[in-house]
Structure formats: structure tokens, C-alpha cells
């Protein structure tokens, strides 16, 4: 198995393979043997330089009751080979020939592994055979995932745990191996969620790393710096390199092989506070000034390097939903792709200029929440509703990046779309809706209620904030009163841009109990310390 502890050797391009491979018996099947991948034997002593290497481990994502995306990446053209079983010993194994890793997709592969049993732990092994040197195989990498139960299940329903966070390698804080690397991945893995929702800012394409950063105590934070992380990302390969950087970390690799992900995106996959018509005229770091061009390259890299299932018709669609049995359904939204330009956000009518979801996504989300039969409906949103997230001044007016506009009155601008959704959900008697987000680099819990709001035509709901995963810690932000939010918890930051070594990196969990159907929400720091929790009763029970 690929050793996940030698990220610097991976970065330097050294091969990672077991020396025992040189002592295998002299049989050489053209495909993996009947004994399984781990027992394959090359016919001759294969030169290690001919063997494919997996520099970033493996990942799984977008898991459904009967299928899952298995992601891998090699260093050359190679055939993906997978075997899986419901037994950790790989009895009754099933074998699948996956796609070929090719240069045009940065040697990444996505296998939509189908025919899986619902509600089962699936153990799998991935291996690659070199396209140029048949018989030269990578070291197998082993992983596992658990498929959700069917939504129509009525007996033996098991508890569900969802974790979420966002904001990775931002504000100049990269992998410092001496300080434990990307420790949040280890904390998340130990939390043992059924699924992890990455709430966006998977990378900071617009924030390069420097080798050393002096901390307040006089010690030095020492970043691992790759070529792609030494400047802002503009080319497709530079965006790819930003995603590849995170997967050099051993904690990220171990996490990727053991916890399925549901990924979305936000702004830093492209550039700070971007929208399609933005032109980076005043940023000398960029030679490509057109954000629309940068966004196309960034989205291609995102779909290449994350375990996302492509939509059958809209190939680059990020919004999608996932059922995790009868207890919960997760709706992943995209507030980046369909927004109007950032503005003063005070429009009095809902038009494409004041929209943030867009008409098609709005209809999908509205109908999905109304039609869902799950006890809990989770909206994974890449930006907060009530927190004020300011953008720069334009034409003498403060612009805003998220939904809120710092006006506590009736809905205006992007708030119009949210108000329309909340009103529709109340009319449809949709209960048990919880919003998850990240973006603002601290942890918080907000309760929204009409008796505190300027807009009152909605049912009370929670918005829970987590992050950063491995970035500078900030906050807390101010709240806009339009929808009546109240702070129930907020993690303080003694000063802006606290480094990961201060242990102020946060994630959240949702636990749904099949007996009571109650949801328990928790916010945690990177050490595994619980900072806040509350139990939300099932409001559909009489």
C-alpha cells in the first residue's frame, strides 16, 4: 500500500513502492489475478520507474445507496483496476476495470462504482497498470466507505452522522510537516462521519504560499511550497496544482480513503469574491484579468480533482442532492455560478442581477425540499444567509459578497430570493430544515425566527457555521436582522488571521437518532474538543 506518511518524497517526485515487490514470483498475468490485486506477481523484476505512482492517494464521494465515485490519480497514463467486497478480508470479491488515466485529465480517474448494496460497508482496492509498460502495476491502495440506507426503509434504521467544514490552505498557511500538516483531516477522520460535506474554498488559488511565516511567539511556520503554490493560479495546470497540493498531506490521504465527501465550491477556487463579469484590473499578480476565463479553468480542475459525479445533461453542475436513508437528505447548492454581479445589494425586485441561486437552481431547491420525505432536510450552502460579508467599494458604494446587505429592514437584493424560498417552504409546511455553511473562518450557531425579523413569513430554522479547516481564523462577523437571526454561539478570534497552530480550526457535526428522530448539532475544534451543541426535536412529530 502506498505509504501516506512521506508527503515530501511525493512532492519531490520520488517513487513510493514496497521493496518487497522486487521479490514476487515470476508469473505475469495481463490483468489482475484471480487471487486479487494484492497477490499479483510480475513476471520479471519490474523496474520501479515503470510502475505508476499515486501521489495523492484516493478519494470517494457522491455516495448513493447503490453506487459511489472512486477517485484516483497517477503520474502517467494507466488503466484503473478496482476490486471490492463487503468483507474486509475481500471474500466474494468483485472486480471492475475502471477508466484510463490520461494526460488531458491530469491523469485523474473517476469510477462510478455501481451495483453496491445499500447500508453496507464497502472495502475496495485500487491499482493502476501502466499503459506504456503493461505488467507494471502501482502499489494497491485500500479504502472503505459506507453506503446510505434506502430512503424507503422503515425498520433497522441506523443513526447518521454528517460532518462539514470549509476553507483549506488559505491566508498563507500551508503544510508545515513539523507542526503536523493538515491536522483537521485527522480530526475529521476520528469523528467517524458517514459523510463529510466540504462547504467550499477547497483551495485558495488566489493566495500563494511563501516558505516561512514568522509567528507572534517568534517561531517560524515553514510551508511546503510547490511550483503551483508559489503564485496565483491562472493556467489550468496551476489550478490543478493547487488541488494536488492538499493531497500531498498524509492526513488528507488517510481521510480520503476512509470518509466519503460531498464537495461544493465558493470563491477562492478562482479568486476572492468573484463573479463572472469581474475583471481584475487592479491586481498586478494576474496576467489573465478576465475572471470568466479563470473560472472555466478552475471548474475543470475542480471536477478533475474532486470525487464529484457529473450530471447527465449539465456536465459542470455543482448543485445536487443526496439521500441518507429515511432520516436525512442533503441539498448541495451553488451560490457562485449563477449570481449577478456583487453590488450594493439593495434591488427592490428579483431579477438576474439580484439573484444568487438563479431561476433553475431555485426551482430545483424549492421542489426538492417540498418533495423530500426525509425527516431532516440539510441545505449545504457555500455562503451564509444572515452574516454580513462585505466586498470592496465600487462607484462610491459598499458592495456585498453574500446574501445579507447590512440593512435590517425588508428583503432587498439577494435577500428577495431567500425570502421567496422561505415563504414557499412555510406555505408547504416544510419543517426540519437546517442550513450549513463555512466561508467566514470561525464557528457559529444562528437561530432564525420571525418574531425577531423584519420579514416574518417563514418557519424558524438554524444556520450552522464551521471552518476554517486550515486557514487563517477570523470573526465573528456582524449579523443582518432581516430574517431575525440570533447568535447562540460564536468562536472568538483574539486578532485576525490566527494560524492553524493556535488550534482555532473548526468543524461541525450533525447526528440524527433513529429512535427519537432528533438532530444533535455540535461544533468542534481541531483537537476534538466540543465547543457547543444543541438537540433539535423533530417538529413533524405531533
Amino acid at each position: 500500500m502506498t505509504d501516506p506518511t512521506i508527503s515530501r518524497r511525493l512532492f519531490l517526485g520520488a517513487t513510493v513502492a514496497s521493496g518487497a515487490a522486487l521479490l514476487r514470483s515470476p508469473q505475469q498475468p495481463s490483468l489482475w489475478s484471480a487471487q486479487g490485486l494484492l497477490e499479483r506477481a510480475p513476471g520479471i523484476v519490474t523496474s520501479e520507474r515503470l510502475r505508476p505512482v499515486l501521489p495523492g492517494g484516493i478519494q470517494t464521494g457522491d455516495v448513493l445507496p447503490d453506487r459511489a465515485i472512486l477517485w484516483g490519480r497517477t503520474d502517467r497514463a494507466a488503466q484503473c483496476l478496482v476490486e471490492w467486497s463487503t468483507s474486509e478480508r475481500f471474500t466474494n470479491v468483485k472486480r471492475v476495470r475502471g477508466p484510463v488515466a490520461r494526460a488531458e485529465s491530469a491523469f485523474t480517474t473517476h469510477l462510478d462504482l455501481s451495483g453496491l448494496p445499500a447500508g453496507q460497508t464497502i472495502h475496495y482496492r485500487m491499482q493502476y497498470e501502466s499503459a506504456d509498460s503493461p505488467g507494471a502495476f502501482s502499489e494497491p491502495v485500500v479504502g472503505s466507505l459506507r453506503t446510505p440506507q434506502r430512503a424507503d426503509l422503515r425498520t433497522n434504521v441506523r443513526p447518521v452522522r454528517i460532518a462539514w467544514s470549509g476553507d483549506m490552505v488559505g491566508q498563507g498557511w500551508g503544510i508545515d510537516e513539523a507542526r503536523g500538516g493538515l491536522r483537521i483531516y485527522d480530526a475529521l477522520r476520528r469523528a467517524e462521519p458517514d459523510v463529510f460535506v466540504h462547504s467550499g474554498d477547497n483551495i485558495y488559488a488566489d493566495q500563494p504560499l511563501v516558505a516561512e511565516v514568522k509567528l507572534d511567539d517568534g517561531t517560524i511556520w515553514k510551508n511546503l511550497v510547490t511550483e503551483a503554490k508559489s503564485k496565483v493560479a491562472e493556467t489550468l495546470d496551476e489550478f490543478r496544482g493547487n488541488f494536488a497540493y492538499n493531497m500531498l498531506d498524509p492526513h488528507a490521504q488517510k481521510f480520503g480513503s476512509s470518509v466519503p465527501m460531498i464537495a461544493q465550491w465558493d470563491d477562492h477556487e478562482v479568486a476572492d469574491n468573484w463573479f463572472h463579469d469581474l475583471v481584475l484590473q487592479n491586481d498586478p499578480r494576474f496576467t489573465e484579468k478576465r475572471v470568466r476565463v479563470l473560472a472555466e479553468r478552475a471548474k475543470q480542475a475542480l471536477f478533475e480533482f474532486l470525487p464529484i459525479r457529473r450530471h447527465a445533461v449539465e456536465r459542470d453542475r455543482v448543485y445536487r442532492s443526496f439521500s441518507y436513508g429515511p432520516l436525512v437528505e442533503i441539498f448541495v447548492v451553488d451560490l457562485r455560478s449563477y449570481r449577478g454581479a456583487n453590488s450594493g445589494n439593495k434591488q427592490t425586485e428579483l431579477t438576474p442581477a439580484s439573484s444568487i441561486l438563479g431561476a433553475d437552481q431555485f426551482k430545483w431547491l424549492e421542489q426538492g425540499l417540498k418533495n423530500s420525505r426525509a425527516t431532516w432536510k440539510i441545505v449545504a450552502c457555500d455562503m451564509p444567509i444572515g452574516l454580513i460579508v462585505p466586498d470592496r467599494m465600487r462607484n462610491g458604494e459598499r458592495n456585498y459578497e453574500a446574501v445579507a446587505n447590512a440593512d435590517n429592514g425588508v428583503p432587498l437584493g439577494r435577500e428577495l430570493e431567500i425570502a421567496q424560498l422561505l415563504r414557499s417552504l412555510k406555505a408547504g409546511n416544510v419543517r426540519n430544515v437546517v442550513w450549513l455553511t463555512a466561508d467566514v473562518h470561525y464557528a457559529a450557531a444562528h437561530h432564525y425566527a420571525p418574531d425577531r425579523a423584519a420579514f416574518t413569513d417563514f418557519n424558524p430554522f438554524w444556520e450552522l457555521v464551521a471552518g476554517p479547516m486550515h486557514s487563517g481564523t477570523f470573526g465573528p462577523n456582524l449579523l443582518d436582522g432581516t430574517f431575525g437571526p440570533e447568535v447562540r454561539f460564536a468562536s472568538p478570534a483574539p486578532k485576525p488571521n490566527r494560524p492553524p497552530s493556535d488550534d482555532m480550526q473548526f468543524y461541525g457535526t450533525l447526528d440524527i437518532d433513529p429512535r427519537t428522530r432528533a438532530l444533535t448539532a455540535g461544533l468542534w475544534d481541531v483537537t476534538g474538543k466540543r465547543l457547543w451543541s444543541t438537540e433539535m426535536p423533530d417538529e413533524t412529530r405531533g
Side-chain angles (χ1 to χ4, degrees), residues 290-518:
R290 298 165 297 171
V291 166
R292 186 179 298 274
V293 174
L294 297 174
E296 290 176 358
R297 296 168 182 169
K299 189 173 250 190
Q300 179 175 336
L302 179 136
F303 273 90
E304 288 174 345
F305 278 79
L306 294 179
I308 303 177
R309 179 177 291 105
R310 294 272 192 175
H311 189 271
V313 178
E314 300 174 60
R315 296 280 293 163
D316 291 342
R317 196 173 101 174
V318 174
Y319 67 89
R320 58 211 193 278
S321 64
F322 300 90
S323 170
Y324 268 76
L327 294 178
V328 62
E329 187 168 1
I330 303 169
F331 296 86
V332 180
V333 302
D334 176 5
L335 300 192
R336 192 55 54 182
S337 298
Y338 312 104
R339 64 169 54 203
N342 288 359
S343 68
N345 203 19
K346 301 290 199 308
Q347 298 92 337
T348 58
E349 295 183 0
L350 180 56
T351 67
S354 59
S355 174
I356 195 166
L357 285 165
D360 290 343
Q361 183 178 200
F362 179 93
K363 184 181 298 184
W364 167 85
L365 179 60
E366 179 187 39
Q367 291 304 312
L369 290 169
K370 285 185 172 182
N371 295 337
S372 177
R373 294 295 173 261
T375 304
W376 291 92
K377 295 86 174 169
I378 309 303
V379 181
C381 193
D382 42 299
M383 298 207 74
I385 295 172
L387 286 171
I388 300 169
V389 185
D391 195 6
R392 67 197 65 181
M393 298 287 292
R394 293 187 176 92
N395 300 319
E397 181 182 38
R398 170 62 63 189
N399 282 202
Y400 293 93
E401 158 72 349
V403 174
N405 56 19
D407 180 335
N408 294 327
V410 298
L412 297 170
R414 292 166 178 165
E415 295 171 338
L416 293 166
E417 205 167 34
I418 300 302
Q420 182 178 327
L421 176 65
L422 295 178
R423 181 188 294 113
S424 178
L425 296 181
K426 180 183 177 182
N429 195 31
V430 179
R431 301 277 183 168
N432 297 345
V433 178
V434 177
W435 294 68
L436 306 181
T437 192
D439 182 69
V440 289
H441 294 237
Y442 69 99
H446 305 140
H447 183 260
Y448 291 74
D451 59 1
R452 297 188 295 264
F455 172 80
T456 61
D457 196 9
F458 68 98
N459 293 322
F461 65 95
W462 286 87
E463 176 185 59
L464 305 174
V465 186
M469 295 176 68
H470 190 91
S471 295
T473 306
F474 294 84
N477 288 34
L478 297 175
L479 277 167
D480 183 305
T482 297
F483 300 111
E486 181 178 75
V487 178
R488 299 291 176 86
F489 172 81
S491 61
K495 56 190 297 189
N497 198 17
R498 294 297 80 211
S501 52
D502 280 6
D503 292 342
M504 299 182 69
Q505 311 286 288
F506 308 110
Y507 67 94
T509 56
L510 304 178
D511 289 284
I512 301 99
D513 187 329
R515 296 176 298 104
T516 65
R517 297 194 298 190

Side-chain angles (χ1 to χ4, degrees), residues 29 40 55 71 121 187 190 213 273 369 383 399 486 488 495 540:
R40 183 192 287 106
W71 177 95
T121 298
R190 293 178 184 277
V213 181
N273 295 356
L369 290 169
M383 298 207 74
N399 282 202
E486 181 178 75
R488 299 291 176 86
K495 56 190 297 189
T540 65

Side-chain angles (χ1 to χ4, degrees), residues 25-178:
S25 66
Q27 299 177 8
Q28 187 176 11
S30 59
L31 298 176
W32 62 105
S33 68
Q35 287 74 36
L37 292 173
L38 292 178
E39 297 176 13
R40 183 192 287 106
I44 57 175
V45 177
T46 304
S47 171
E48 292 302 299
R49 64 183 176 79
L50 299 180
R51 300 183 187 279
V53 175
L54 280 66
I58 56 179
Q59 300 179 88
T60 59
D62 285 14
V63 180
L64 300 174
D66 64 342
R67 62 200 311 123
I69 296 293
L70 271 57
W71 177 95
R73 174 173 167 255
T74 71
D75 63 344
R76 68 197 72 191
Q79 172 78 61
C80 174
L81 305 170
V82 171
E83 59 180 12
W84 67 272
S85 171
T86 55
S87 166
E88 193 171 7
R89 297 183 177 182
F90 283 86
T91 56
N92 299 318
V93 70
K94 294 180 174 59
R95 299 183 178 88
V96 178
R97 178 185 287 269
V100 175
R102 303 182 189 279
E104 51 264 34
S105 58
F107 302 116
T108 62
T109 62
H110 294 69
L111 171 61
D112 199 349
L113 187 64
S114 61
L116 304 179
Q120 295 284 322
T121 298
I122 308 299
H123 302 273
Y124 63 93
R125 297 188 284 227
M126 291 184 66
Q127 191 168 34
Y128 289 85
E129 181 178 14
S130 171
D132 295 327
S133 302
F137 298 95
S138 70
E139 287 297 302
V141 184
V142 179
S144 65
L145 61 93
R146 187 159 186 141
T147 54
Q149 293 180 305
R150 298 191 314 274
D152 60 355
L153 194 67
R154 294 293 175 262
T155 61
N156 299 317
V157 178
R158 70 166 188 254
V160 177
R161 166 166 275 204
I162 300 165
W164 87 96
S165 191
D167 315 309
M168 175 57 68
V169 185
Q171 288 72 51
W173 307 112
I175 299 171
D176 184 336
E177 293 178 323

Side-chain angles (χ1 to χ4, degrees), residues 1-3 6 9 15-24 38 42 45-48 51-53 137-140:
M1 179 177 175
T2 299
D3 181 356
I6 48 178
R9 287 176 60 200
T15 57
V16 182
S18 170
L22 300 177
L23 303 177
R24 293 170 178 167
L38 292 178
V45 177
T46 304
S47 171
E48 292 302 299
R51 300 183 187 279
V53 175
F137 298 95
S138 70
E139 287 297 302

